[in-house]
Amino acid sequence: MSASLVDQCRCSPGDLPALPRRQGRADWIDIAKGVSISLVVFWHVVGPLVPINEALIFLRMPLFFFLAGLFLRGVFRQPSGERFVFKFANFVYLFVLWSALVFFTTTVPQALLNGESVSLAPLVRIFIEPPQTLWFIYALLIAVTLLMVLRRVPLGVILAVSVVIYSLLSADGNWRSLPFPERVLLLFPFIVMGVFSLEFIEGTLLRVTRFWPLMLTGFVVISWGVYHSGFAAVGPVTFLLSVWGISSVLMMAGWLATRQGVAGRGWAFVGRHSLQVYVLHRIVQFYLLAVLARLGLQPSPEAGMWYIGFYLSSALVVVVLSVLTGWLLAKTSLFAPLFEVPWVKTLQARRAASAVPR
């Protein structure tokens, strides 16, 4: 997201707390993104080995989609065919490119190692059955299209309808192994909330950041209780719980941003490269665990806490390796097109140049 987009949607400067920025970006947004992508990677690597990881389902992807809504607000607030085409083309490009890269660097080698035949069917069907670790990009493609189509409908109406759909879909209490269309509909309300919440976050939530430990602790405890109870099938309860969790993380991000400590700077760095981490972490995870297993360093499940600790440490290593690899690749002109469709910036530059008075 460009600095101008953030700035134009902010309240008046005199009404806001001091918000540190780096290279034109609000630090609290990058910190929140860093936390969000870290939660996603930890789920993919650790899974339900750590019980609370499963209960964080009410935070992990809702936060991811909410933050995406902050970046899609321009499509709704300032609708234009060109802006939509840029977003749409970029998402299609990234989804197809990385679906192929992940397939040929993980699925194919795994099949060959197992002595199995390689089928290209999963790659051909990505728009019907998106890859498990890349479906978010496809969901954004659908979301940005919906926002463009519904741009003349009041956001309050869109949110109300999407929350009703959310409540209906969540009535069975099943939060695992959901079909892709159902996942998109369950998470779409959080994108909508992200589209119009920037003023509230910077004008209200970031004024009370000192309460984040209480808020986040309360969320974790209640989330655990709800996930393992009948309330997991009550849509309004789980939706409000997700809003609670998102607010807690945003408050923590604002608190860390104002202190500029090691934790805040580290998570902000991860957040500024969250796209690279997202698309790369599956490949990094595959080869890291394969190497550790070949070296005999992967413990068996019978190892108990050592087994859990192994995967927790592996998740941390995957985040670090993914962000460093992505950062290095993005800085190299040869590999920069891996993370953004090449001709978008060219067209944007030409458009900006043509708009300059002569």
Side-chain angles (χ1 to χ4, degrees):
M1 180 171 57
S2 65
S4 59
L5 179 57
V6 175
D7 289 335
Q8 72 186 31
C9 300
R10 294 178 62 173
C11 305
S12 63
D15 296 334
L16 297 176
L19 299 173
R21 305 172 72 82
R22 189 182 307 272
Q23 297 176 348
R25 298 168 62 105
D27 281 3
W28 68 265
I29 294 180
D30 286 329
I31 293 172
K33 287 176 61 184
V35 173
S36 178
I37 190 61
S38 297
L39 288 175
V40 171
V41 174
F42 268 70
W43 171 252
H44 288 160
V45 179
V46 180
L49 284 176
V50 177
I52 193 59
N53 204 13
E54 194 162 22
L56 288 177
I57 194 167
F58 300 123
L59 171 64
R60 190 166 40 245
M61 294 313 294
L63 174 62
F64 214 45
F65 274 70
F66 179 87
L67 293 171
L70 292 177
F71 288 76
L72 294 179
R73 61 190 283 123
V75 176
F76 193 96
R77 292 282 180 97
Q78 294 181 337
S80 70
E82 188 172 298
R83 183 187 294 270
F84 169 71
V85 169
F86 286 159
K87 289 285 187 183
F88 187 91
N90 205 42
F91 288 143
V92 172
Y93 171 81
L94 290 173
F95 180 62
V96 173
L97 173 64
W98 281 99
S99 292
L101 289 175
V102 171
F103 180 81
F104 285 111
T105 56
T106 62
T107 304
V108 171
Q110 186 65 62
L112 295 176
L113 288 173
N114 295 338
E116 303 170 351
S117 60
V118 177
S119 171
L120 296 179
L123 190 58
V124 175
R125 294 171 56 85
I126 59 173
F127 285 100
I128 300 174
E129 299 176 3
Q132 290 184 351
T133 55
L134 292 170
W135 64 270
F136 171 70
I137 300 176
Y138 189 21
L140 285 185
L141 171 65
I142 295 173
V144 75
T145 304
L146 285 174
L147 287 174
M148 186 64 180
V149 171
L150 300 173
R151 65 189 182 278
R152 299 188 184 281
V153 179
L155 276 172
V157 174
I158 298 174
L159 180 60
V161 172
S162 61
V163 170
V164 170
I165 295 173
Y166 170 98
S167 299
L168 294 174
L169 292 176
S170 61
D172 60 0
N174 176 32
W175 293 96
R176 295 284 301 276
S177 304
L178 297 174
F180 174 71
E182 190 170 332
R183 269 178 281 167
V184 174
L185 290 173
L186 281 169
L187 292 165
F188 185 69
F190 300 104
I191 285 187
V192 178
M193 288 181 60
V195 169
F196 66 79
S197 295
L198 187 60
E199 293 85 355
F200 171 76
I201 296 169
E202 294 197 320
T204 303
L205 277 185
L206 298 188
R207 291 178 178 270
V208 291
T209 57
R210 63 185 180 278
F211 296 115
W212 78 262
L214 181 62
M215 287 280 291
L216 191 56
T217 301
F219 165 76
V220 171
V221 173
I222 300 299
S223 181
W224 171 263
V226 168
Y227 185 78
H228 294 284
S229 72
F231 285 110
V234 182
V237 171
T238 57
F239 181 80
L240 290 175
L241 184 60
S242 293
V243 174
W244 181 355
I246 292 169
S247 301
S248 302
V249 172
L250 296 178
M251 290 166 66
M252 182 185 73
W255 184 84
L256 290 171
T258 57
R259 277 148 183 80
Q260 292 292 292
V262 174
R265 290 198 300 269
W267 256 329
F269 184 78
V270 174
R272 286 193 292 275
H273 302 87
S274 58
L275 171 61
Q276 291 90 329
V277 176
Y278 183 75
V279 296
L280 282 167
H281 80 272
R282 176 70 180 89
I283 300 173
V284 173
Q285 175 186 345
F286 176 80
Y287 287 100
L288 174 66
L289 296 182
V291 169
L292 292 176
R294 180 62 64 92
L295 294 175
L297 299 177
Q298 186 176 26
S300 64
E302 290 74 22
M305 292 302 297
W306 286 110
Y307 182 72
I308 296 175
F310 168 81
Y311 279 98
L312 284 173
S313 302
S314 297
L316 178 60
V317 173
V318 168
V319 171
V320 172
L321 290 179
S322 297
V323 72
L324 292 178
T325 303
W327 172 62
L328 291 172
L329 291 175
K331 289 181 62 176
T332 307
S333 58
L334 179 63
F335 296 106
L338 289 175
F339 308 109
E340 186 174 48
V341 61
W343 50 265
V344 164
K345 280 190 174 180
T346 302
L347 288 181
Q348 288 175 326
R350 289 178 181 175
R351 178 175 177 271
S354 64
V356 174
R358 299 182 182 279

